[in-house]
Amino acid sequence: MNGPIPYLWLIPLLPLAGFAINGLYGLITQRVRERKPNRYLVATLACGLVLAAFVLGLAACYELAQLPAEERSVEQLVFHWIQGGDVATTGYGAGAVAPGTVPFQVEWAILLDPLSAVMLLVVTGVGLLIHVFAIGYMWADTGFYRFFSYMNLFMFAMLVLVLGNNYLMMFLGWEGVGFCSYALIGFYFHKQSAGDAGKKAFVVNRVGDYGFIVGVLLLFATFGTFNYGRLAGLVKDLPAEAHFGILSAITLLFFIGACGKSAQIPLYVWLPDAMEGPTPVSALIHAATMVTAGVYMVTRSNFLFTRAPVSLELVGFVGVTTALAAALMALFQRDIKRVLAYSTVSQLGYMFAALGAAAFAAGIMHLMTHAFFKALLFLGAGSIIHALHHEQDLQHMGNLRRHMPLTFATMLMAYLAICGIFPFSGFFSKDEILWRSFASGHYVFYGIGLAAAGLTAFYMTRLMVLTFFSTERITPEAKHHLHESPAVMTVPLVVLAVLSVVGGWIGLPAWLGANTFEHWLEPVFRYAIRPEAPHFSHGFEFAMAMGSVAVAAIGIGLAYLVYQRRGVVPDQEMTWGRLWQALYHKFYIDELYDALIIRPCKGLGNLLAAFDLSVIDGFVNGTAAATRGSATVSGWFDKYVVDGLVNLQAWIVQNVSGVLRRLQTGVAPNYALAIVLGIVILSCLYIFR
C-alpha cells in the first residue's frame, strides 16, 4: 500500500470500525450483560472515528492539491479483490476497441482525484456535523447504540462508493447505502409507517439497482474492465454516437440506477417517505450521502455520457421535469420534513439538469452547496421537532423565532441560500446551472429551471412564515416542552449556517471573478466531449443572474403576502379546491402506483396463497374429511412450487453425492483395483476400436 498518500485506505475503514465496535459492544452489553450501553462511550466512538476520517480526508486533499493539475489522481491498491479466468469482450465500434479476451480481475483500490476529494469532504464533513447533532436528538432513545452503528456503516458504504476506482466497488457501496437507508428509515420499526417507508425505499431502489448492475455488466462485456481510468483511456478517441448505440444503452441503464438512488421521476416516490426515520437520518440521506450517489455516478461517467448524446439529453429532461414537479408537490405539504423532502427531490433535479447540459462542475457545485443548506434545514427542523415534543405539522407552529432564536437565525441562512439570494451559497450554484443551460442552447432546461426557482422561493417562504412568524398555533402540550435546543445540537447548526453563507464563493461566476471550483474539477473532465458554448458578455450574464434573483423575489413576496399579511394557515388551504387537492396529494402518483402495481401484485399473491387444494390433499393423505373438502391446504404455490424446487435440488445433491462418495473409500486396495479396471477397459477400447 505504498503511494503518495499511504493512509488513504484508513479513511473508509474508520467508520467501519465504529460500526463493528459499537454494534458488538451494544449487543454484548444489552443482551448478555442485560445493561444499557454507555451513551457517552458510544457517541464518542461514533463521532470520534468520523472526525478522524474527516481529518485524514483534509490531509489527503491538501496533499492532492500540492500536485500539478494534470497529476491530481492518486490510486492506492489495497488488495486484489476478485481474480478469475479469461472472459470474452465484444469490443466497440469499427475496430476502435477490438474484441478479444481479458483476464477477469477486480482490484480493491482507492482513487483520490478532484471529484472524489470533493465528495470525501462533503460526506465526512457534513456527516460529522449530523453525527454530533444526533447525540442530542437521539439521547433518550433506547436504540442509541444501534442508531450510531448504522450511521457509521452508512458512512463506510458511502465512502466506498465515492473512493473506489472501479464500478464494482461503486456498486458495492451503492448497495451498502441502500441497505443502511432501509435500516435507518425503518429505525422506529414499532411504527407501521416507518416499516412501510423502509420497505418502500428498499423495493423502489431495487428497480433502479437492477438497471445499474445490468449496465455495469454490459460495460464489462464491451470493454473488459470496470476501472474508470482504463475505460476513459479506451474511449477517449471515440466520437459521440450519431444514433442510439451500445454507449447509449450502457448510460441509460446507469441513469435508471441514478433515478432510483437520487429520486428522479419515476422512481422518486421513496424519498419523501424517508422522513419517517429519525431527523438526523433524513439529513444524512437527503443532504450528504445517498441521494447524491446518482449525481456522482453520472459525473464520474462523464466520458461515457458525453459520447451518448441521447442519454445526456434524457438526463437533463428528466432532471428539469423532476425539479418542477417536486417543487409543485412541496407547495402545500403540512409536515415540515415532507416539505424539505420534496425540496430535495427538486434540487436533485437541478443537479441532473446541469449534467444534461454537460455542466458537470456546476452540478457538483450545487451538490456541495445543497449539502450545506439542506443539512441545515433538516437539522433545524429536527431542532424544532425536538423542542415541540415531536410535533411536525406546520399548522401547530408559528412565532417560534421568539422561543428558538438561534435555530431561527441559522435556518434563515439556509432559507436564503436555497432561494438563491445573493451572496449566499445557493445563489452561485443555482445561477451557474441556469446560466450554463442557457449558454449551451438548452432553453427549455433554463425556462423550467427558472420556474422551479420561483416555486422554491414560494414554498420555502411559506415554511419559514408558518414556522417562525404568523400567529402562534402551538398546542398546550408542545408549548410545555418548548425550549431552544442544547449546544450539542445548535453548534452544528451554526457551522452549517456559515457554510451556507460562504460555501459558494469558491465558484464565482465569470462576471464576478474566477471560478476556482470549476478549475479544480477540470482534470476529471479531460476526456469528456463538450461542445464550445457561444460567448456572451459579462454584462449579459450579470443581467441573467439578476433575473433569476428577481424570480425568487417574486416567489418570496407572493408567499409573504399570502401567509403573513393575509394570515393564511394550512387548515384554510384545504378550501382552495381541486388544484390544492392535486398538489397536496402529489398528483396522486402514489395512488396510481398502488392501483397499477401494488394491488395487482398483492392480489396475485393472495390468489396463489388461498388456492383450494382440498382434493389434492385428499388424494395425498387419503382422509375422507379432506376428500369432502372440509380441509383446505393454503399456500400451495409456496409449498409445492417454490419449496418443491428447492427441495428437489437438495434431493438431487444428496443422492448424487451418496453415490459419488462411495468412490472414495480411503482403502488403498480399492483404488488399486479401480486403476487396474480402468487400464483393462482402456486397453479393450484400444484393441477393438
Side-chain angles (χ1 to χ4, degrees):
M1 290 182 288
N2 296 323
I5 310 177
Y7 51 83
L8 272 179
W9 64 279
L10 273 175
I11 296 174
L13 190 63
L14 288 168
L16 179 63
F19 159 72
I21 297 170
N22 269 335
L24 289 173
Y25 166 70
L27 283 173
I28 293 171
T29 305
Q30 189 165 294
R31 300 291 177 84
V32 179
R33 302 180 64 186
E34 297 183 352
R35 294 171 54 188
K36 290 183 178 180
N38 187 308
R39 285 177 168 82
Y40 292 99
L41 180 60
V42 170
T44 302
L45 186 65
C47 297
L49 289 173
V50 176
L51 173 62
F54 175 63
V55 171
L56 288 180
L58 277 176
C61 293
Y62 175 78
E63 291 193 41
L64 184 72
Q66 304 311 304
L67 300 174
E70 64 278 3
E71 298 178 15
R72 286 179 187 153
S73 180
V74 177
E75 286 194 40
Q76 183 183 75
L77 174 64
V78 182
F79 57 85
H80 293 284
W81 183 18
I82 304 173
Q83 296 190 47
D86 291 344
V87 293
T89 59
T90 61
Y92 176 78
V97 179
T101 59
V102 295
F104 185 74
Q105 294 181 349
V106 185
E107 302 162 342
W108 189 279
I110 305 297
L111 169 66
L112 187 69
D113 65 358
L115 176 59
S116 57
V118 172
M119 296 300 297
L120 168 61
L121 295 182
V122 168
V123 171
T124 55
V126 179
L128 172 63
L129 295 172
I130 295 170
H131 273 68
V132 173
F133 178 92
I135 296 173
Y137 191 88
M138 299 296 295
W139 188 258
D141 198 283
T142 56
F144 191 81
Y145 86 89
R146 180 167 58 92
F147 175 82
F148 277 100
S149 295
Y150 287 153
M151 291 281 278
N152 276 182
L153 184 61
F154 208 133
M155 296 292 290
F156 164 73
M158 190 66 190
L159 288 172
V160 169
L161 192 157
V162 301
L163 291 178
N165 77 335
N166 61 77
Y167 282 103
L168 214 55
M169 282 186 70
M170 179 190 284
F171 185 73
L172 182 67
W174 192 275
E175 291 301 301
V177 295
F179 165 76
C180 293
S181 68
Y182 164 75
L184 286 167
I185 293 170
F187 182 78
Y188 297 129
F189 53 84
H190 55 278
K191 290 172 53 180
Q192 179 70 28
S193 58
D196 290 345
K199 289 182 286 186
K200 186 176 184 179
F202 188 82
V203 171
V204 172
N205 272 277
R206 297 290 71 70
V207 177
D209 294 356
Y210 179 78
F212 184 35
I213 191 59
V214 172
V216 170
L217 294 176
L218 181 59
L219 181 78
F220 183 83
T222 305
F223 297 104
T225 183
F226 297 110
N227 184 277
Y228 306 140
R230 294 175 201 148
L231 283 167
L234 288 172
V235 304
K236 66 180 181 180
D237 296 324
L238 297 178
E241 289 182 335
H243 306 286
F244 190 91
I246 193 68
L247 291 181
S248 298
I250 291 169
T251 49
L252 282 178
L253 288 166
F254 279 11
F255 186 54
I256 292 172
C259 285
K261 273 293 180 288
S262 295
Q264 298 296 285
I265 291 175
L267 301 179
Y268 72 92
V269 291
W270 70 271
L271 189 58
D273 289 346
M275 59 92 187
E276 288 289 344
T279 302
V281 172
S282 302
L284 193 66
I285 292 176
H286 288 246
T289 56
M290 181 170 170
V291 297
T292 63
V295 179
Y296 168 77
M297 183 264 286
V298 174
T299 306
R300 175 60 71 191
S301 309
N302 63 86
F303 52 87
L304 297 174
F305 275 88
T306 53
R307 287 171 172 80
V310 173
S311 300
L312 206 59
E313 289 293 322
L314 182 64
V315 168
F317 177 75
V318 171
V320 293
T321 304
T322 304
L324 181 62
L328 289 169
M329 294 176 191
L331 285 177
F332 303 119
Q333 297 303 309
R334 292 176 54 142
D335 188 306
I336 186 172
K337 287 174 63 178
R338 194 171 285 273
V339 175
L340 297 177
Y342 281 106
S343 171
T344 297
V345 177
S346 181
Q347 296 301 309
L348 288 166
Y350 259 108
M351 298 174 206
F352 281 107
L355 305 186
F360 297 104
I364 294 298
M365 183 176 173
H366 196 57
L367 181 155
M368 179 187 69
T369 60
H370 176 262
F372 301 151
F373 61 70
K374 186 53 63 68
L376 176 52
L377 287 169
F378 265 109
L379 295 186
S383 178
I384 294 167
I385 294 166
H386 183 264
L388 294 178
H389 199 57
H390 305 293
E391 178 61 69
Q392 298 181 202
D393 193 342
L394 292 171
Q395 175 63 31
H396 301 140
M397 298 182 188
N399 202 29
L400 286 179
R401 73 184 188 280
R402 293 181 57 189
H403 305 283
M404 307 181 68
L406 188 54
T407 298
F408 164 67
T410 53
M411 283 191 72
L412 182 63
M413 301 299 103
Y415 157 73
L416 293 171
I418 194 174
C419 289
I421 303 302
F422 181 84
F424 296 87
S425 62
F427 164 80
F428 297 101
S429 55
K430 182 205 72 172
D431 176 67
E432 189 70 9
I433 291 172
L434 292 175
W435 170 247
R436 291 303 177 108
S437 297
F438 182 88
S440 61
H442 293 85
Y443 304 122
V444 174
F445 293 2
Y446 171 79
I448 297 176
L450 196 62
L455 292 171
T456 300
F458 183 92
Y459 69 69
M460 285 305 305
T461 303
R462 171 182 177 268
L463 182 148
M464 292 294 290
V465 169
L466 292 176
T467 303
F468 294 108
F469 296 90
S470 69
T471 58
E472 190 173 290
R473 304 173 304 279
I474 307 169
T475 62
E477 181 186 1
K479 193 167 185 178
H480 175 71
H481 295 276
L482 186 57
H483 60 281
E484 182 62 275
S485 298
V488 72
M489 297 172 66
T490 54
V491 169
L493 298 184
V494 172
V495 176
L496 286 168
V498 173
L499 292 172
S500 296
V501 176
V502 305
W505 295 359
I506 60 173
L508 298 178
W511 56 268
L512 200 57
N515 194 325
T516 306
F517 189 81
E518 184 175 12
H519 179 70
W520 167 258
L521 288 177
E522 190 60 35
V524 180
F525 311 126
R526 61 183 177 274
Y527 295 129
I529 298 176
R530 288 178 289 176
E532 289 291 330
H535 177 72
F536 294 95
S537 68
H538 290 173
F540 182 73
E541 185 178 349
F542 171 76
M544 296 285 286
M546 293 304 101
S548 69
V549 173
V551 169
I554 292 171
I556 292 171
L558 288 175
Y560 182 82
L561 178 65
V562 172
Y563 295 100
Q564 181 65 16
R565 287 291 182 88
R566 297 184 59 185
V568 174
V569 295
D571 279 352
Q572 296 172 331
E573 294 173 340
M574 300 170 65
T575 63
W576 288 359
R578 293 185 178 181
L579 178 60
W580 177 87
Q581 289 284 348
L583 295 177
Y584 179 74
H585 291 286
K586 296 89 67 181
F587 302 112
Y588 300 97
I589 299 298
D590 283 293
E591 289 79 0
L592 181 65
Y593 281 6
D594 186 66
L596 296 181
I597 300 174
I598 298 173
R599 289 184 184 177
C601 289
K602 283 185 176 179
L604 179 61
N606 292 334
L607 179 65
L608 295 175
F611 191 83
D612 188 345
L613 271 186
S614 57
V615 176
I616 297 176
D617 191 52
F619 282 114
V620 172
N621 297 326
T623 60
T627 305
R628 289 194 303 269
S630 59
T632 300
V633 180
S634 63
W636 68 272
F637 186 84
D638 182 67
K639 181 177 180 180
Y640 292 97
V641 178
V642 178
D643 286 352
L645 289 173
V646 175
N647 293 336
L648 177 62
Q649 295 178 50
W651 181 87
I652 292 172
V653 171
Q654 182 180 11
N655 286 275
V656 170
S657 63
V659 174
L660 294 177
R661 68 184 177 84
R662 298 179 184 277
L663 299 178
Q664 294 190 6
T665 62
V667 180
N670 291 351
Y671 295 155
L673 178 61
I675 293 171
V676 172
L677 288 175
I679 294 173
V680 171
I681 292 171
L682 290 175
S683 300
C684 292
L685 290 174
Y686 178 78
I687 293 171
F688 298 106
R689 70 184 186 280

Coordinates of all heavy atoms in Angstrom, one line a residue, residues 218-279:
L218 N -22.9 -5.0 -18.9 CA -22.8 -4.7 -20.3 C -21.5 -3.9 -20.6 O -20.9 -4.1 -21.6 CB -24.0 -3.9 -20.8 CG -24.1 -3.5 -22.2 CD1 -24.1 -4.8 -23.1 CD2 -25.4 -2.7 -22.5
L219 N -21.2 -3.0 -19.7 CA -19.9 -2.2 -19.9 C -18.7 -3.2 -19.9 O -17.8 -3.1 -20.7 CB -19.8 -1.2 -18.7 CG -18.6 -0.3 -18.7 CD1 -18.8 0.8 -19.7 CD2 -18.4 0.3 -17.3
F220 N -18.7 -4.1 -18.9 CA -17.6 -5.1 -18.9 C -17.6 -6.0 -20.1 O -16.5 -6.3 -20.7 CB -17.6 -5.9 -17.6 CG -16.5 -6.8 -17.4 CD1 -15.3 -6.4 -16.9 CD2 -16.6 -8.1 -17.9 CE1 -14.2 -7.2 -16.8 CE2 -15.5 -9.0 -17.7 CZ -14.3 -8.5 -17.2
A221 N -18.7 -6.4 -20.5 CA -18.8 -7.3 -21.7 C -18.3 -6.6 -22.9 O -17.8 -7.2 -23.9 CB -20.2 -7.8 -21.9
T222 N -18.4 -5.3 -23.0 CA -18.0 -4.5 -24.1 C -16.5 -4.1 -24.1 O -15.8 -4.3 -25.1 CB -18.8 -3.2 -24.2 OG1 -20.2 -3.5 -24.3 CG2 -18.5 -2.4 -25.5
F223 N -16.1 -3.7 -22.9 CA -14.7 -3.1 -22.8 C -13.7 -4.0 -22.0 O -12.5 -3.7 -22.0 CB -14.8 -1.7 -22.2 CG -15.5 -0.7 -23.1 CD1 -16.8 -0.3 -22.7 CD2 -14.9 -0.2 -24.2 CE1 -17.5 0.6 -23.5 CE2 -15.6 0.7 -25.0 CZ -16.9 1.1 -24.7
G224 N -14.3 -4.9 -21.2 CA -13.4 -5.8 -20.5 C -12.7 -5.2 -19.2 O -11.7 -5.8 -18.8
T225 N -13.3 -4.2 -18.7 CA -12.7 -3.6 -17.4 C -13.8 -2.8 -16.7 O -14.7 -2.3 -17.3 CB -11.5 -2.7 -17.7 OG1 -11.0 -2.2 -16.5 CG2 -11.9 -1.5 -18.6
F226 N -13.7 -2.7 -15.4 CA -14.5 -1.9 -14.6 C -13.8 -0.6 -14.2 O -14.5 0.3 -13.6 CB -15.0 -2.6 -13.3 CG -15.8 -3.9 -13.5 CD1 -15.2 -5.1 -13.3 CD2 -17.1 -3.8 -14.0 CE1 -16.0 -6.3 -13.4 CE2 -17.8 -4.9 -14.2 CZ -17.3 -6.2 -13.9
N227 N -12.5 -0.5 -14.4 CA -11.7 0.6 -13.9 C -12.0 1.9 -14.6 O -12.0 1.9 -15.9 CB -10.2 0.2 -14.0 CG -9.3 1.2 -13.4 OD1 -9.0 2.2 -14.1 ND2 -8.9 1.0 -12.2
Y228 N -12.2 3.0 -13.9 CA -12.5 4.3 -14.5 C -11.4 4.7 -15.5 O -11.7 5.1 -16.6 CB -12.7 5.3 -13.5 CG -13.7 5.0 -12.4 CD1 -13.5 5.4 -11.1 CD2 -14.9 4.4 -12.7 CE1 -14.4 5.1 -10.1 CE2 -15.9 4.1 -11.7 CZ -15.6 4.5 -10.4 OH -16.5 4.3 -9.4
G229 N -10.2 4.7 -15.0 CA -9.1 5.2 -15.8 C -8.9 4.4 -17.1 O -8.7 5.0 -18.1
R230 N -9.0 3.1 -17.0 CA -8.8 2.2 -18.2 C -9.9 2.5 -19.2 O -9.7 2.5 -20.4 CB -8.7 0.8 -17.8 CG -7.5 0.4 -17.0 CD -7.5 -1.0 -16.5 NE -6.6 -1.2 -15.4 CZ -6.8 -2.1 -14.4 NH1 -7.9 -2.9 -14.4 NH2 -6.0 -2.2 -13.4
L231 N -11.1 2.6 -18.6 CA -12.3 2.9 -19.5 C -12.1 4.2 -20.2 O -12.4 4.3 -21.5 CB -13.6 2.9 -18.7 CG -14.1 1.5 -18.3 CD1 -15.2 1.6 -17.3 CD2 -14.7 0.8 -19.5
A232 N -11.7 5.2 -19.5 CA -11.5 6.5 -20.1 C -10.4 6.5 -21.2 O -10.6 7.1 -22.3 CB -11.1 7.6 -19.1
G233 N -9.4 5.7 -21.0 CA -8.3 5.6 -22.0 C -8.8 4.8 -23.2 O -8.4 5.1 -24.3
L234 N -9.8 3.9 -23.0 CA -10.3 3.1 -24.2 C -11.2 4.0 -25.0 O -11.3 3.8 -26.3 CB -11.0 1.9 -23.7 CG -10.2 0.8 -23.1 CD1 -11.0 -0.3 -22.5 CD2 -9.3 0.2 -24.2
V235 N -12.0 4.9 -24.4 CA -13.0 5.6 -25.2 C -12.6 7.0 -25.6 O -13.3 7.7 -26.3 CB -14.3 5.7 -24.4 CG1 -14.8 4.3 -24.0 CG2 -14.2 6.6 -23.2
K236 N -11.4 7.5 -25.1 CA -11.0 8.9 -25.3 C -11.0 9.3 -26.8 O -11.2 10.5 -27.1 CB -9.7 9.2 -24.6 CG -8.5 8.4 -25.2 CD -7.2 8.8 -24.5 CE -6.0 8.1 -25.1 NZ -4.8 8.4 -24.4
D237 N -10.7 8.4 -27.7 CA -10.6 8.8 -29.1 C -11.9 8.5 -29.9 O -11.9 8.7 -31.1 CB -9.4 8.0 -29.7 CG -8.1 8.4 -29.1 OD1 -7.9 9.6 -28.8 OD2 -7.2 7.5 -29.0
L238 N -12.9 8.0 -29.2 CA -14.1 7.7 -29.8 C -15.0 8.9 -30.0 O -15.1 9.8 -29.1 CB -14.9 6.6 -29.0 CG -14.3 5.3 -28.9 CD1 -15.2 4.4 -28.0 CD2 -14.0 4.6 -30.2
P239 N -15.7 9.1 -31.2 CA -16.6 10.2 -31.3 C -17.9 9.9 -30.6 O -18.2 8.8 -30.1 CB -16.8 10.2 -32.8 CG -16.7 8.8 -33.3 CD -15.6 8.2 -32.3
A240 N -18.7 11.0 -30.5 CA -20.1 10.8 -29.9 C -20.9 10.0 -30.9 O -20.8 10.0 -32.1 CB -20.7 12.1 -29.7
E241 N -21.8 9.1 -30.3 CA -22.7 8.3 -31.1 C -23.6 9.2 -31.9 O -24.3 10.0 -31.3 CB -23.4 7.3 -30.3 CG -22.5 6.2 -29.7 CD -23.3 5.2 -28.8 OE1 -24.4 5.6 -28.3 OE2 -22.9 4.1 -28.7
A242 N -23.7 8.9 -33.2 CA -24.7 9.6 -34.0 C -26.1 9.1 -33.8 O -27.1 9.9 -33.9 CB -24.3 9.5 -35.5
H243 N -26.3 7.9 -33.4 CA -27.6 7.3 -33.2 C -27.5 6.5 -31.9 O -26.4 6.4 -31.2 CB -28.0 6.4 -34.3 CG -28.0 7.1 -35.7 ND1 -29.0 8.0 -36.0 CD2 -27.1 7.0 -36.7 CE1 -28.7 8.5 -37.2 NE2 -27.6 7.9 -37.7
F244 N -28.6 5.8 -31.5 CA -28.6 5.0 -30.3 C -27.7 3.8 -30.5 O -27.9 3.0 -31.4 CB -30.0 4.5 -30.0 CG -30.2 3.9 -28.7 CD1 -30.5 4.6 -27.6 CD2 -30.0 2.5 -28.5 CE1 -30.7 4.0 -26.3 CE2 -30.1 1.9 -27.3 CZ -30.4 2.7 -26.2
G245 N -26.7 3.7 -29.6 CA -25.7 2.6 -29.7 C -25.5 2.0 -28.4 O -26.2 2.2 -27.4
I246 N -24.4 1.2 -28.3 CA -24.1 0.5 -27.1 C -23.8 1.4 -25.9 O -24.1 1.2 -24.8 CB -22.9 -0.5 -27.3 CG1 -22.8 -1.5 -26.2 CG2 -21.6 0.3 -27.5 CD1 -23.9 -2.4 -26.0
L247 N -23.1 2.6 -26.2 CA -22.8 3.6 -25.1 C -24.1 4.2 -24.6 O -24.3 4.4 -23.4 CB -21.9 4.6 -25.6 CG -20.4 4.2 -25.9 CD1 -19.6 5.4 -26.4 CD2 -19.8 3.6 -24.7
S248 N -25.1 4.4 -25.5 CA -26.4 4.9 -25.1 C -27.1 3.9 -24.2 O -27.7 4.3 -23.2 CB -27.2 5.2 -26.3 OG -26.6 6.3 -27.1
A249 N -27.0 2.6 -24.6 CA -27.6 1.6 -23.8 C -27.0 1.5 -22.4 O -27.7 1.4 -21.4 CB -27.5 0.2 -24.5
I250 N -25.7 1.5 -22.3 CA -25.0 1.5 -21.0 C -25.4 2.7 -20.2 O -25.7 2.5 -19.0 CB -23.5 1.4 -21.3 CG1 -23.1 0.1 -21.9 CG2 -22.7 1.6 -19.9 CD1 -21.6 0.0 -22.4
T251 N -25.3 3.9 -20.7 CA -25.5 5.1 -19.9 C -27.0 5.2 -19.5 O -27.3 5.7 -18.4 CB -25.1 6.3 -20.7 OG1 -25.6 6.3 -22.0 CG2 -23.6 6.4 -20.8
L252 N -27.9 4.7 -20.4 CA -29.3 4.7 -20.0 C -29.6 3.8 -18.8 O -30.4 4.1 -17.9 CB -30.2 4.4 -21.2 CG -30.5 5.5 -22.2 CD1 -31.4 5.0 -23.3 CD2 -31.1 6.7 -21.5
L253 N -29.0 2.6 -18.8 CA -29.1 1.7 -17.7 C -28.5 2.3 -16.5 O -29.0 2.2 -15.3 CB -28.4 0.4 -18.1 CG -29.1 -0.5 -19.1 CD1 -28.2 -1.6 -19.6 CD2 -30.4 -1.1 -18.5
F254 N -27.3 3.0 -16.6 CA -26.8 3.7 -15.5 C -27.7 4.7 -14.9 O -27.9 4.9 -13.7 CB -25.5 4.4 -15.9 CG -24.3 3.6 -15.9 CD1 -24.4 2.2 -15.8 CD2 -23.0 4.1 -16.1 CE1 -23.2 1.4 -15.9 CE2 -21.9 3.3 -16.1 CZ -22.0 1.9 -16.0
F255 N -28.4 5.4 -15.8 CA -29.3 6.5 -15.4 C -30.5 6.0 -14.7 O -31.1 6.6 -13.8 CB -29.7 7.4 -16.6 CG -30.5 8.6 -16.2 CD1 -30.1 9.5 -15.2 CD2 -31.8 8.8 -16.7 CE1 -30.8 10.6 -14.8 CE2 -32.5 9.9 -16.4 CZ -32.1 10.8 -15.4
I256 N -31.0 4.8 -15.1 CA -32.0 4.1 -14.3 C -31.6 3.9 -12.9 O -32.4 4.2 -11.9 CB -32.4 2.8 -14.9 CG1 -33.1 3.0 -16.3 CG2 -33.4 2.0 -14.0 CD1 -33.3 1.7 -17.1
G257 N -30.4 3.5 -12.6 CA -29.9 3.4 -11.3 C -29.8 4.7 -10.6 O -30.2 4.9 -9.4
A258 N -29.4 5.8 -11.3 CA -29.4 7.1 -10.7 C -30.8 7.6 -10.4 O -30.9 8.3 -9.3 CB -28.7 8.1 -11.7
C259 N -31.8 7.3 -11.2 CA -33.1 7.7 -10.9 C -33.6 7.1 -9.6 O -34.4 7.7 -8.8 CB -34.1 7.3 -12.0 SG -33.9 8.4 -13.5
G260 N -33.2 5.9 -9.3 CA -33.6 5.2 -8.1 C -32.9 5.8 -6.9 O -33.5 6.2 -5.9
K261 N -31.6 5.9 -6.9 CA -30.8 6.4 -5.8 C -31.0 7.9 -5.5 O -31.1 8.4 -4.4 CB -29.3 6.2 -6.0 CG -28.8 4.8 -5.5 CD -28.9 4.6 -4.0 CE -28.4 3.3 -3.6 NZ -29.3 2.2 -3.9
S262 N -31.1 8.7 -6.6 CA -31.2 10.1 -6.5 C -32.7 10.6 -6.7 O -32.9 11.8 -6.9 CB -30.3 10.8 -7.4 OG -28.9 10.5 -7.1
A263 N -33.6 9.7 -6.6 CA -35.1 10.0 -6.5 C -35.5 10.9 -7.7 O -36.0 12.0 -7.5 CB -35.3 10.7 -5.2
Q264 N -35.3 10.5 -8.9 CA -35.9 11.2 -10.1 C -37.1 10.5 -10.6 O -37.3 9.3 -10.4 CB -34.8 11.3 -11.1 CG -33.5 12.1 -10.7 CD -33.8 13.5 -10.4 OE1 -34.0 14.3 -11.3 NE2 -33.9 13.9 -9.1
I265 N -37.9 11.2 -11.3 CA -39.1 10.6 -12.0 C -38.6 9.4 -12.8 O -37.7 9.6 -13.6 CB -39.8 11.7 -12.8 CG1 -40.4 12.7 -11.9 CG2 -40.9 11.0 -13.7 CD1 -41.1 13.9 -12.7
P266 N -39.3 8.2 -12.7 CA -40.5 7.9 -12.0 C -40.2 7.2 -10.6 O -41.1 6.7 -10.0 CB -41.2 6.9 -12.9 CG -40.0 6.2 -13.5 CD -38.9 7.2 -13.7
L267 N -38.9 7.2 -10.2 CA -38.5 6.4 -9.0 C -38.3 7.3 -7.8 O -37.5 6.9 -6.9 CB -37.3 5.6 -9.3 CG -37.4 4.6 -10.5 CD1 -36.1 3.8 -10.7 CD2 -38.5 3.6 -10.2
Y268 N -38.9 8.5 -7.8 CA -38.7 9.4 -6.7 C -39.5 9.1 -5.4 O -39.3 9.7 -4.4 CB -39.0 10.8 -7.1 CG -40.5 11.0 -7.3 CD1 -41.3 11.6 -6.3 CD2 -41.1 10.7 -8.5 CE1 -42.6 11.7 -6.4 CE2 -42.5 10.9 -8.6 CZ -43.2 11.4 -7.6 OH -44.6 11.5 -7.7
V269 N -40.5 8.2 -5.5 CA -41.6 8.1 -4.5 C -41.1 7.6 -3.2 O -41.8 7.8 -2.2 CB -42.7 7.2 -5.0 CG1 -43.5 7.8 -6.2 CG2 -42.1 5.8 -5.5
W270 N -39.9 7.1 -3.1 CA -39.4 6.6 -1.8 C -38.9 7.7 -0.9 O -38.9 7.6 0.3 CB -38.3 5.5 -2.0 CG -37.0 6.1 -2.5 CD1 -36.7 6.2 -3.9 CD2 -35.9 6.5 -1.8 NE1 -35.4 6.7 -4.0 CE2 -34.9 7.0 -2.7 CE3 -35.7 6.7 -0.4 CZ2 -33.7 7.5 -2.3 CZ3 -34.5 7.2 0.0 CH2 -33.5 7.6 -1.0
L271 N -38.3 8.7 -1.5 CA -37.6 9.7 -0.8 C -38.5 10.6 0.2 O -38.1 10.8 1.3 CB -36.8 10.6 -1.7 CG -35.8 11.6 -1.0 CD1 -34.8 10.8 -0.2 CD2 -35.1 12.4 -2.0
P272 N -39.6 11.0 -0.2 CA -40.5 11.8 0.7 C -40.8 10.9 1.9 O -40.9 11.5 3.1 CB -41.7 12.2 -0.1 CG -41.2 12.2 -1.5 CD -40.2 11.1 -1.6
D273 N -41.0 9.7 1.8 CA -41.4 8.8 2.9 C -40.2 8.5 3.8 O -40.3 8.0 4.9 CB -42.0 7.5 2.4 CG -43.4 7.7 1.8 OD1 -44.0 8.8 2.0 OD2 -43.9 6.8 1.1
A274 N -39.0 8.8 3.3 CA -37.8 8.6 4.1 C -37.7 9.4 5.4 O -37.0 9.1 6.3 CB -36.5 8.8 3.3
M275 N -38.6 10.4 5.4 CA -38.6 11.3 6.6 C -39.2 10.5 7.8 O -39.2 11.1 8.9 CB -39.4 12.6 6.3 CG -40.8 12.4 5.9 SD -41.9 12.5 7.2 CE -43.5 12.1 6.4
E276 N -39.7 9.3 7.6 CA -40.2 8.5 8.7 C -39.1 8.1 9.7 O -39.4 7.8 10.8 CB -40.9 7.3 8.2 CG -42.3 7.5 7.6 CD -43.3 8.0 8.5 OE1 -43.2 7.8 9.7 OE2 -44.4 8.5 8.1
G277 N -37.9 8.1 9.2 CA -36.8 7.8 10.1 C -36.4 9.0 11.0 O -37.0 10.1 10.9
P278 N -35.5 8.8 12.0 CA -35.1 10.0 12.8 C -34.6 11.1 11.9 O -34.0 10.9 10.9 CB -34.0 9.4 13.7 CG -34.3 7.9 13.7 CD -34.9 7.6 12.3
T279 N -34.8 12.3 12.4 CA -34.4 13.5 11.6 C -33.0 13.6 11.2 O -32.7 13.9 10.1 CB -34.8 14.8 12.3 OG1 -36.2 14.8 12.6 CG2 -34.5 16.0 11.5

